[in-house]
Amino acid sequence: MITHEQASGMLDAYVDGELDPAAVRRLEAHLILCTDCRTALSSLGLLLDGAARLRTRKCQPARDLWPDLARRLGQAGSADEGRRSRHDAGGGIPANADPDPKRTTERGGSLTWWDRIRRALLPTRPRDIIWGVAVLGLVVALYSARVWQQQPDVGSLGQVEGLSTVASEADRARADLDAAIQGRDGAWPADAGADFQQSLRMLDQAIKDSRAALEANPLDQSRQRSLLMIYQKQLDLLRWATRLVQQT
Amino acid sequence: MNSTVTDPQTTRETLLLAQRAQRGDFEAFEELYRGNVARVYTLCLRLCAEAGRAEEYTQDVFVRLWEKLGSFRGDSAFSTWLHRLAVNLVLDRLRSERRRSAWLLETDDPVPLAGAVRAPEPGMRLDLERAIRSLPPGARAVFVLHDVEGYRHQEIAKLTGLAEGTSKAQLHRARRLLREVLQ
């Protein structure tokens, strides 16, 4: 068994997935018994969820910075001439990264990939038609790979691996807990019920918020990962509670 | 750093703008600025915790962007490249302002973080923003980079010059202080 102090010091590594399996088992055994550590874990989960939500939140400066910035760049104008000359001499984004055909320049007899693709899209010679078929095949293959990659776990909750599974497991764990409580005639072990229900309410609210945000932006993978983590915490909590009810 | 989902059309337009700006097109550079200023300013504000300095650093980031645009070759998303450039610049500025690296290593907890930023409900976003600003600089930088921006400790160590263990210790400290305030 580990001490409460040791367990408290392990919570960060636990939520970051940095503990080895043996340490995870020791910590989880402690969490079953320690209300303080469970509460700390719940609040840590909420904090991380809040931090992940900040990632998409932006704020504007109180004033328009562009006029000052333009002045500063204007003062550096003469130095920029040299910089731009260097770009023109071959630096910068390569031509084959240029998605705009109008801006692509021909380079003598040496064709870039983009030149070839452009000719393939507007073929005038048999060789260009072959290129066209090759490009079309590549596009279809890439699209198929993308669709195939997304299929295994594309549910109403999105693409992060394991999200729908852990959500279903959490539902099952809740049903198991309800059954265990009913087996005790609806009575919780002394002092455990209120703490558990408070933690569960916090996690339920965090799940509700995350799902609402995902409805607005279903492809937000950081949000999906955050939701996955909350579901995992909820699942852990429900299982601990079930074991606790069954053991007492 | 965590990848973000980017609209391909936006990526394409940004690439075109970056290329025009590389050729000295000032209007294209202004469009790049308008499209990215909020993200850069927010990052600067979270890292330095002062609106005035965040504005100054934001301008510095775009000046450096103008100078370095030639080295952007489109290998990564422009937004990712700009983000890295902004993080590097702000950390450089903070280090030079506060005696090299000392600010990242300091371990004294701030005089009561609680009170002024206590949240009426756990997880309230604005209170979390305010609480982050109240963190000691080193803990704040590591928390913002790790938990908000999604960098790994290894990347943070490279960016800040800290040992990975120190980065973890600062993160632990930041989380503890924030939980105390927000509970």
Side-chain angles (χ1 to χ4, degrees):
Chain A
M1 288 293 283
I2 52 175
T3 65
H4 175 72
E5 286 68 29
Q6 286 172 322
S8 296
M10 292 164 74
L11 292 178
D12 279 321
Y14 180 64
V15 296
D16 290 337
E18 292 171 352
L19 289 183
D20 61 62
V24 168
R25 279 195 298 276
R26 283 198 301 274
L27 178 62
E28 290 186 343
H30 174 81
L31 286 166
I32 292 173
L33 303 171
C34 180
T35 306
D36 287 348
C37 281
R38 283 204 305 275
T39 306
L41 186 62
S42 294
S43 73
L44 189 54
L46 286 174
L47 174 64
L48 297 190
D49 185 48
R53 269 182 275 177
L54 290 183
R55 195 172 300 157
T56 52
R57 182 176 177 270
K58 297 173 194 161
C59 42
Q60 291 282 351
R63 63 189 178 91
D64 184 3
L65 305 179
W66 177 253
D68 285 350
L69 179 61
R71 248 192 314 278
R72 285 177 66 180
L73 294 175
Q75 284 167 1
S78 55
D80 292 331
E81 288 306 319
R83 181 183 64 82
R84 283 196 288 276
S85 300
R86 285 199 302 281
H87 298 167
D88 293 343
I93 304 169
N96 61 1
D98 184 346
D100 185 352
K102 292 193 290 292
R103 294 185 178 279
T104 305
T105 54
E106 299 286 342
R107 285 168 174 72
S110 161
L111 287 180
T112 64
W113 279 93
W114 175 251
D115 293 332
R116 290 184 191 281
I117 291 168
R118 186 186 56 174
R119 285 187 178 184
L121 294 174
L122 298 167
T124 54
R125 297 176 303 172
R127 198 172 61 176
D128 292 339
I129 293 171
I130 294 170
W131 268 97
V133 172
V135 167
L136 186 62
L138 182 64
V139 168
V140 169
L142 287 173
Y143 180 74
S144 305
R146 180 179 161 79
V147 168
W148 179 80
Q149 265 190 337
Q150 289 180 347
Q151 270 177 349
D153 199 41
V154 178
S156 57
L157 293 174
Q159 295 104 341
V160 166
E161 191 178 351
L163 184 51
S164 51
T165 307
V166 78
S168 308
E169 284 180 12
D171 287 342
R172 275 198 297 277
R174 195 184 291 256
D176 291 345
L177 176 62
D178 289 344
I181 294 287
Q182 278 177 2
R184 287 175 50 99
D185 297 328
W188 276 90
D191 299 332
D195 287 335
F196 166 77
Q197 281 162 14
Q198 185 191 3
S199 301
L200 193 61
R201 266 198 303 277
M202 290 162 75
L203 290 168
D204 282 342
Q205 185 60 45
I207 287 171
K208 193 176 160 191
D209 291 348
S210 292
R211 294 189 66 144
L214 271 175
E215 278 179 19
N217 184 6
L219 295 179
D220 183 343
Q221 292 204 345
S222 69
R223 170 78 62 180
Q224 289 174 18
R225 279 191 289 274
S226 162
L227 180 57
L228 175 64
M229 194 191 76
I230 301 169
Y231 265 126
Q232 280 168 336
K233 299 305 159 211
Q234 188 190 51
L235 180 59
D236 290 344
L237 182 64
L238 288 163
R239 284 175 174 167
W240 295 328
T242 306
R243 285 200 292 271
L244 187 67
V245 169
Q246 287 168 344
Q247 284 167 6
T248 51
Chain B
M1 198 182 92
N2 278 348
S3 59
T4 50
V5 178
T6 312
D7 176 9
Q9 182 64 24
T10 309
T11 306
R12 176 190 155 90
E13 286 167 5
T14 306
L15 189 61
L16 284 171
L17 282 175
Q19 192 178 48
R20 281 172 52 201
Q22 279 185 335
R23 293 173 181 161
D25 183 335
F26 209 58
E27 282 181 16
F29 187 75
E30 182 177 357
E31 275 191 67
L32 275 182
Y33 163 82
R34 300 277 176 211
N36 291 282
V37 64
R39 187 159 177 258
V40 169
Y41 174 74
T42 305
L43 176 69
C44 292
L45 183 60
R46 285 190 185 133
L47 285 172
C48 78
E50 282 177 36
R53 275 204 301 167
E55 288 181 0
E56 181 192 326
Y57 292 164
T58 302
Q59 284 193 31
D60 292 345
V61 167
F62 282 96
V63 169
R64 187 172 287 183
L65 172 65
W66 179 247
E67 291 166 356
K68 297 268 183 183
L69 205 47
S71 62
F72 175 63
R73 298 190 52 81
D75 298 332
S76 57
F78 177 80
S79 58
T80 307
W81 184 76
L82 174 60
H83 191 271
R84 181 65 65 130
L85 186 146
V87 168
N88 275 320
L89 182 138
V90 176
L91 292 178
D92 278 352
R93 292 283 191 280
L94 290 174
R95 264 198 298 259
S96 61
E97 282 173 19
R98 290 170 189 266
R99 289 200 301 264
R100 194 165 185 78
S101 290
W103 65 280
L104 283 169
L105 293 165
E106 65 187 48
T107 52
D108 290 343
D109 282 349
V111 196
L113 199 57
V117 291
R118 189 173 291 279
E121 289 174 35
M124 280 191 67
R125 210 176 296 171
L126 284 177
D127 291 282
L128 179 54
E129 288 274 24
R130 291 170 60 200
I132 291 170
R133 284 183 212 172
S134 306
L135 286 172
R140 182 174 63 236
V142 174
F143 180 82
V144 168
L145 292 175
H146 189 278
D147 283 353
V148 179
E149 301 295 341
Y151 285 81
R152 297 175 189 282
H153 284 296
Q154 195 181 13
E155 295 173 296
I156 295 171
K158 270 189 193 166
L159 284 165
T160 58
L162 294 175
E164 271 187 63
T166 310
S167 174
K168 287 180 183 176
Q170 289 286 30
L171 182 65
H172 175 72
R173 179 180 172 219
R175 286 173 174 175
R176 176 174 55 78
L177 290 167
L178 290 172
R179 277 167 43 213
E180 283 170 9
V181 172
L182 295 170
Q183 268 175 6

